[in-house]
């Protein structure tokens, strides 16, 4: 029975390779689409589990290094502690004060200079001894902090792995149930499995590389947008273009229509000819078709603070949804892609004295309000 099912599955897989899987297949039942979506989600969660395992191994190595460094620094602290204690004890007991009386025993100016140099040498050595102890203690404190951070990160990675693993098992159980309810025969179940495998293959081999290529080029273009605004270079810039700043006292408003954004991006790289961006209230949507696959991205710009409290805020773009051939990718895929590319806008590249205060995505228009910070 298992051999026969496997044979049917392989045959169905070979047949399905000939045509791409999309959510809009002619006559495709809604139940089939749900099954394919579930299969793609499970596949991507499995990729996330692999990434977590790699990260967990890295953290374990980092933790072992931190433990070794902490043990080494503990030895260094112990070695310097005894010497430092002797120096401190000497000052506390007044031994160093009595040394200064040697100056009064000098019989000549030359003897006085020699005694003074001797005293300076002792004081310098005391300072070095105490300094070595302080440095060793500071390094030990830093290694303790690194060890704690590595331990916390490792525990977080393990927890995330378990959560994703539990989610994967639950989804797999639900998928098995759906296939059993949907398929009326072993052949039909095998065909559904084959279509899932083909969709996963298409995403991994075509969809994911295409998304990465688009997002990387988009990141470069958005990084260069402030320079384009300041120099007025590039298509769409000019005397009456919105690709510029409109001053109003101590604040300025930068406006960009989605038409201008598409024109700007297409001058940066020809791949954007197949992708169209639109501004809608509170969102940015990009969609297009390339090499027979449909891609779409939805996200939003917002003001974000940096870790350094002294640094100026920036305009962060967060991806909210990714769709490949009509199928939505899970949040784990979005998070992984966001770690690889930075789609943010940094207004200080336009002028260091400007700081973003508002970001609005209206129908067909992006508005950024900046204030002058002296």
């Amino acid at each position: 029975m298992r051999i026969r099912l496997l044979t049917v599955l392989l045959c169905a897989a070979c047949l399905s390779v000939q045509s791409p899987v999309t959510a809009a297949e002619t006559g495709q039942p809604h139940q089939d689409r749900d099954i394919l979506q579930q299969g793609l989600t499970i596949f991507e969660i499995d990729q996330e589990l692999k990434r977590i395992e790699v990260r967990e191994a890295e953290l374990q190595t980092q933790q072992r290094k931190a433990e070794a460094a902490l043990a080494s620094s503990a030895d260094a602290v112990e070695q310097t502690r005894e010497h430092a204690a002797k120096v401190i004890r000497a000052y506390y007991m007044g031994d160093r004060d009595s040394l200064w009386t040697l100056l009064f025993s000098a019989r000549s100016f030359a003897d006085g200079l020699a005694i003074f140099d001797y005293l300076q040498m002792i004081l310098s050595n005391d300072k070095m001894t105490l300094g070595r102890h302080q440095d060793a203690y500071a390094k030990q404190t830093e290694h303790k902090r690194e060890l704690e951070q590595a331990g916390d990160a490792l525990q977080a990675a393990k927890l995330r792995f378990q959560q994703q693993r539990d989610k994967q098992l639950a989804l797999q159980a639900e998928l098995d149930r759906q296939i059993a309810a949907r398929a009326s025969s072993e052949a039909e179940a095998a065909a559904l499995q084959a279509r899932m495998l083909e969709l996963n293959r298409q995403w991994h081999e075509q969809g994911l590389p295409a998304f990465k290529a688009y997002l990387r080029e988009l990141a470069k273009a958005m990084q260069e947008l402030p320079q384009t605004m300041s120099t007025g270079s590039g298509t769409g810039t000019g005397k009456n273009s919105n690709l510029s700043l409109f001053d109003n006292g101590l604040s300025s408003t930068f406006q960009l229509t989605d038409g201008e954004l598409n024109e700007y991006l297409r001058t940066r790289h020809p791949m954007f000819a197949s992708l169209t961006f639109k501004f809608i209230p509170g969102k940015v949507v990009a969609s297009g078709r390339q090499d027979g696959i449909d891609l779409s991205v939805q996200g939003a710009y917002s003001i974000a603070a940096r870790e350094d409290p002294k640094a100026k805020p920036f305009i962060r773009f967060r991806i909210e949804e990714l769709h490949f051939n009509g199928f939505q990718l899970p949040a784990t895929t979005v998070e992984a892609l966001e770690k690889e590319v930075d789609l943010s806008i940094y207004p200080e590249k336009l002028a260091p004295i400007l700081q973003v205060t508002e970001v609005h995505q209206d129908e067909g228009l992006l508005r950024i309000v900046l204030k002058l910070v002296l």
Side-chain angles (χ1 to χ4, degrees):
M1 180 68 68
R2 292 182 178 177
I3 296 176
R4 186 172 58 188
L5 177 60
L6 179 61
T7 302
V8 175
L9 176 62
L10 292 175
C11 292
C14 293
L15 291 173
S16 64
V17 170
Q18 298 177 7
S19 60
V21 179
T22 68
E25 285 181 304
T26 304
Q28 177 180 311
H30 181 72
Q31 296 94 326
D32 287 7
R33 184 186 185 284
D34 291 342
I35 291 174
L36 294 176
Q37 174 69 73
Q38 197 89 310
L40 180 60
T41 300
I42 293 172
F43 175 78
E44 280 302 285
I45 290 178
D46 186 59
Q47 302 307 304
E48 174 66 8
L49 290 174
K50 293 176 182 178
R51 288 191 291 267
I52 295 175
E53 287 179 334
V54 172
R55 178 58 178 158
E56 187 175 345
E58 293 173 349
L59 289 170
Q60 288 174 342
T61 300
Q62 181 181 337
Q63 189 177 44
R64 287 193 295 268
K65 289 181 178 179
E67 288 173 348
L70 181 59
S72 177
S73 64
D75 292 339
V77 168
E78 183 59 29
Q79 291 173 6
T80 59
R81 184 193 62 78
E82 185 177 350
H83 296 292
K86 289 180 180 179
V87 171
I88 295 173
R89 191 181 307 114
Y91 279 97
Y92 180 76
M93 299 299 293
D95 294 344
R96 292 299 184 261
D97 294 338
S98 63
L99 290 175
W100 289 100
T101 61
L102 292 173
L103 285 173
F104 298 103
S105 65
R107 298 179 180 180
S108 64
F109 182 73
D111 288 345
L113 288 178
I115 293 172
F116 184 74
D117 288 341
Y118 175 68
L119 292 174
Q120 279 193 316
M121 182 179 65
I122 293 175
L123 294 175
S124 177
N125 185 65
D126 289 346
K127 184 177 181 181
M128 290 176 60
T129 299
L130 294 174
R132 283 194 295 268
H133 179 66
Q134 288 177 335
D135 291 343
Y137 187 79
K139 288 181 180 179
Q140 183 186 43
T141 302
E142 177 63 18
H143 291 323
K144 284 183 179 179
R145 185 186 64 80
E146 291 175 354
L147 182 59
E148 289 174 356
Q149 289 181 339
D152 292 343
L154 182 58
Q155 290 302 317
K158 289 181 177 180
L159 177 60
R160 182 174 177 83
F161 180 88
Q162 188 59 50
Q163 290 173 340
Q164 293 298 330
R165 182 62 178 166
D166 291 344
K167 182 177 180 179
Q168 182 193 46
L169 292 174
L171 288 173
Q172 185 64 56
E174 175 62 19
L175 178 62
D176 293 341
R177 187 194 66 77
Q178 289 182 5
I179 292 177
R182 174 71 182 87
S184 58
S185 65
E186 292 180 357
E188 190 172 357
L192 282 173
Q193 292 280 0
R195 289 164 64 190
M196 280 191 296
L197 291 175
E198 175 60 12
L199 175 61
N200 295 343
R201 185 197 66 79
Q202 288 179 5
W203 160 248
H204 187 68
E205 296 181 4
Q206 296 176 275
L208 183 58
F211 267 115
K212 287 185 176 182
Y214 273 115
L215 293 177
R216 285 169 183 162
E217 289 302 323
L218 179 60
K220 291 179 184 178
M222 300 315 290
Q223 292 284 330
E224 296 170 359
L225 182 60
Q227 290 90 327
T228 303
M229 292 162 52
S230 62
T231 60
S233 60
T235 304
T237 59
K239 183 176 180 181
N240 298 318
S241 173
N242 284 333
L243 194 59
S244 59
L245 287 173
F246 296 91
D247 295 325
N248 181 19
L250 296 179
S251 66
S252 299
T253 300
F254 164 62
Q255 295 187 167
L256 179 67
T257 67
D258 46 21
E260 289 170 329
L261 176 60
N262 287 309
E263 188 176 4
Y264 166 71
L265 292 175
R266 287 163 186 170
T267 63
R268 309 303 297 180
H269 200 286
M271 70 164 52
F272 289 111
S274 59
L275 199 66
T276 300
F277 286 78
K278 291 182 180 180
F279 294 124
I280 61 176
K283 306 282 184 184
V284 181
V285 179
S287 60
R289 184 174 180 83
Q290 182 185 29
D291 299 330
I293 58 176
D294 295 320
L295 306 171
S296 70
V297 183
Q298 179 176 298
Y301 283 110
S302 62
I303 299 176
R306 305 191 198 188
E307 293 182 1
D308 183 359
K310 297 181 180 179
K312 294 178 181 178
F314 65 102
I315 304 169
R316 172 186 290 157
F317 182 79
R318 301 306 300 264
I319 301 174
E320 297 175 349
E321 291 184 13
L322 289 178
H323 289 85
F324 164 70
N325 281 348
F327 295 96
Q328 184 172 350
L329 281 304
T332 54
T333 306
V334 172
E335 292 173 7
L337 287 173
E338 284 188 325
K339 290 178 181 178
E340 292 190 29
V341 295
D342 182 8
L343 300 173
S344 304
I345 301 174
Y346 299 92
E348 68 268 22
K349 291 185 177 181
L350 173 62
I353 59 175
L354 292 177
Q355 177 176 315
V356 60
T357 58
E358 298 177 36
V359 178
H360 302 279
Q361 291 131 109
D362 304 321
E363 188 66 41
L365 184 68
L366 172 68
R367 290 188 298 115
I368 301 173
V369 180
L370 306 142
K371 72 175 182 178
L372 188 64
V373 179
L374 301 176

